[in-house]
Amino acid sequence: MKRQAAIIVLTIIGSLAWAEGDPKELLRSVDRLVSFQDSDFSAEYLIVQNKAGEGVDSTQAVIFRRDGANKYLILILAPVVDRGKGYLKIDDSLWLYDPVSRKFTFTSSKERFRNSNARNSDFTRSSFARDYNIVRVGREKLGKFDCTVLDLKANNNEVTFPITKLWISNDSLVRKSEDYSLSGQLLRTILIPTYQGIGGRFVPVTIIIADQLKGRKIEGKFVGDRTQITITKPSLEKLPDNLFTKTYLEKVGK
């Protein structure tokens, strides 16, 4: 009952933000509902990439987040050849660990995750309100959802995409987003049809990412690559401090 009450309160806050005409507060509600600043978070992720005309690649991973300290660790479980590889993010530093060479290499949050249509930044906490300014507000119908539509432009160079457009349903959850280059080129489209509630927060059940540039022509028509992320077994249980360390990755990668 307490969890349900918390969810109701947070949803009401998000709805009131728009009712009062404050889209910036609505954006803050979006961030709050999918971030875990006051607890740890972990879940299993199945990342399936459909490469147009080439077939399907799958990655199984477990992800650990400590949003309050700006940390995450991603441990690859499958395919077997990549088992033990991992990503470790601490503040603005992100390393990729290879258990074969036993070396850490710097990578960027802007890079593609394992050559999929997801980016490394997709696995960290939401920070739209901090990183973007709102340049346009509208209302649109998206399937069964009545949505507030926000056109956003980045206020710093650290974000992965300088221009983003969000479709936010009345429960303050993002149902669709479009990411653009600075020149206005559409780069990818993301759909999040369903969420699962946990501890007064929300986690997508599935995320569908359609690449607008990466793909190939099939029978004369461009078909973009697609990635589907399925999230299961979400947990808010406290994680050990040593999990967010290079030593931990070295140990589990043996």
Side-chain angles (χ1 to χ4, degrees):
M1 290 296 294
K2 289 183 178 180
R3 188 181 75 176
Q4 292 177 340
I7 292 172
I8 292 171
V9 169
L10 287 167
T11 301
I12 291 173
I13 290 173
S15 300
L16 287 176
W18 171 247
E20 294 172 0
D22 186 354
K24 191 67 174 183
E25 182 56 36
L26 174 60
L27 207 54
R28 294 189 187 99
S29 295
V30 167
D31 290 335
R32 283 195 296 267
L33 286 179
V34 296
S35 297
F36 301 90
Q37 296 284 7
D38 52 0
S39 69
D40 291 336
F41 170 79
S42 62
E44 294 184 7
Y45 282 57
L46 175 62
I47 302 154
V48 179
Q49 182 173 10
N50 191 331
K51 297 181 179 180
E54 297 182 26
V56 174
D57 289 333
S58 297
T59 297
Q60 293 180 7
V62 58
I63 294 180
F64 307 97
R65 283 168 45 185
R66 181 167 286 173
D67 291 353
N70 197 17
K71 297 178 180 180
Y72 76 60
L73 184 139
I74 304 174
L75 181 63
I76 306 300
L77 304 178
V80 174
V81 68
D82 292 323
R83 186 178 180 88
K85 288 184 177 180
Y87 294 78
L88 175 63
K89 181 180 186 297
I90 301 177
D91 294 324
D92 295 328
S93 298
L94 179 62
W95 296 275
L96 171 62
Y97 177 66
D98 184 351
V100 176
S101 64
R102 299 189 62 79
K103 291 183 178 180
F104 289 87
T105 57
F106 276 106
T107 185
S108 167
S109 293
K110 299 180 182 182
E111 294 295 321
R112 292 178 181 270
F113 177 77
R114 292 178 56 78
N115 202 36
S116 72
N117 308 112
R119 303 299 176 100
N120 294 331
S121 56
D122 292 330
F123 301 100
T124 191
R125 72 177 190 264
S126 180
S127 56
F128 288 117
R130 181 193 68 190
D131 292 330
Y132 289 89
N133 296 324
I134 300 170
V135 298
R136 191 184 74 85
V137 182
R139 292 285 289 178
E140 288 183 19
K141 188 81 171 180
L142 180 67
K144 66 180 181 179
F145 299 108
D146 293 313
C147 292
T148 300
V149 184
L150 301 182
D151 287 7
L152 308 177
K153 187 171 183 179
N155 55 35
N156 64 74
N157 295 323
E158 302 303 315
V159 297
T160 303
F161 299 101
I163 298 173
T164 292
K165 186 173 184 178
L166 303 179
W167 282 255
I168 305 166
S169 52
N170 291 337
D171 51 9
S172 299
L173 296 173
V174 174
R175 301 294 175 169
K176 176 183 176 181
S177 66
E178 292 179 344
D179 296 318
Y180 294 82
S181 68
L182 194 57
S183 65
Q185 170 70 55
L186 177 60
L187 303 176
R188 67 176 191 171
T189 301
I190 299 177
L191 299 175
I192 309 176
T194 54
Y195 285 82
Q196 51 197 315
I198 179 170
R201 297 294 188 267
F202 292 87
V203 180
V205 175
T206 56
I207 304 170
I208 301 167
I209 307 173
D211 203 306
Q212 304 298 329
L213 296 180
K214 192 175 181 182
R216 64 190 302 179
K217 281 191 175 182
I218 300 177
E219 297 180 354
K221 181 180 179 180
F222 177 79
V223 178
D225 292 352
R226 294 170 65 89
T227 296
Q228 178 167 313
I229 302 173
T230 303
I231 303 170
T232 57
K233 300 181 181 179
S235 171
L236 301 182
E237 290 189 11
K238 172 73 173 175
L239 300 169
D241 293 340
N242 66 354
L243 188 149
F244 300 98
T245 63
K246 291 182 175 180
T247 300
Y248 177 85
L249 272 178
E250 289 172 326
K251 181 178 179 180
V252 298
K254 288 182 177 179

